[in-house]
Amino acid sequence: GGGGSGSGSREAVERLVREHPVVVFMKGSPAQPLCGFSNAVVQILRLHGVEDYRAHDVLQDPDLRQGIKNYSNWPTIPQVYLNGEFVGGCDILLQMHQNGDLVEELKKLGIRSALLDAEKDQEKK
């Protein structure tokens, strides 16, 4: 569609991705994810102890669902944004989780990953 100021407009989406350091567009809510990929993103963030993030349920808002895909040029949900930058979906977040990039990215946002503390506990043993 054209421009306009609906929830799916570029301006509206831009505002959403910038309103918090960690923003997730998902199906359902963190308490009740409605697809396996959305659930995986929630679980990964939880592993890192990231409880304070903004989640938007695209199932509540078809305009937003399409708008966010246009904005990121990424065809699927969930989508994760760090500091207003599109990171990717579930598979990319999982990869970043496994190779340590996510810890680093969170650090840039001033968020200390819980996994760092878990590793410290391992070393003591």
Side-chain angles (χ1 to χ4, degrees):
S5 52
S7 59
S9 73
R10 197 166 177 84
E11 292 73 29
V13 171
E14 176 114 7
R15 218 168 20 247
L16 292 182
V17 302
R18 294 187 182 287
E19 74 182 354
H20 199 273
V22 184
V23 181
V24 179
F25 295 86
M26 62 183 292
K27 295 176 182 176
S29 67
Q32 213 175 5
L34 294 177
C35 86
F37 299 116
S38 292
N39 183 46
V41 163
V42 169
Q43 296 302 334
I44 291 168
L45 290 173
R46 188 171 291 154
L47 277 173
H48 287 266
V50 182
E51 299 290 342
D52 177 28
Y53 60 95
R54 197 61 53 86
H56 296 280
D57 179 2
V58 299
L59 297 180
Q60 302 288 333
D61 191 341
D63 282 349
L64 176 60
R65 185 176 184 171
Q66 191 50 51
I68 193 70
K69 291 177 184 182
N70 296 346
Y71 182 83
S72 60
N73 216 357
W74 186 263
T76 55
I77 306 288
Q79 294 188 11
V80 179
Y81 288 78
L82 297 179
N83 234 4
E85 296 289 326
F86 175 58
V87 172
C90 165
D91 44 353
I92 291 177
L93 198 68
L94 184 58
Q95 206 179 336
M96 289 173 66
H97 164 62
Q98 287 167 337
N99 66 17
D101 287 353
L102 189 53
V103 169
E104 290 304 314
E105 288 302 317
L106 290 172
K107 197 184 284 178
K108 288 180 196 165
L109 305 182
I111 300 171
R112 182 177 170 78
S113 168
L115 291 186
L116 292 172
D117 300 326
E119 279 166 19
K120 276 226 300 284
D121 293 345
Q122 295 292 316
E123 286 163 19
K124 283 184 202 136
K125 292 189 179 112

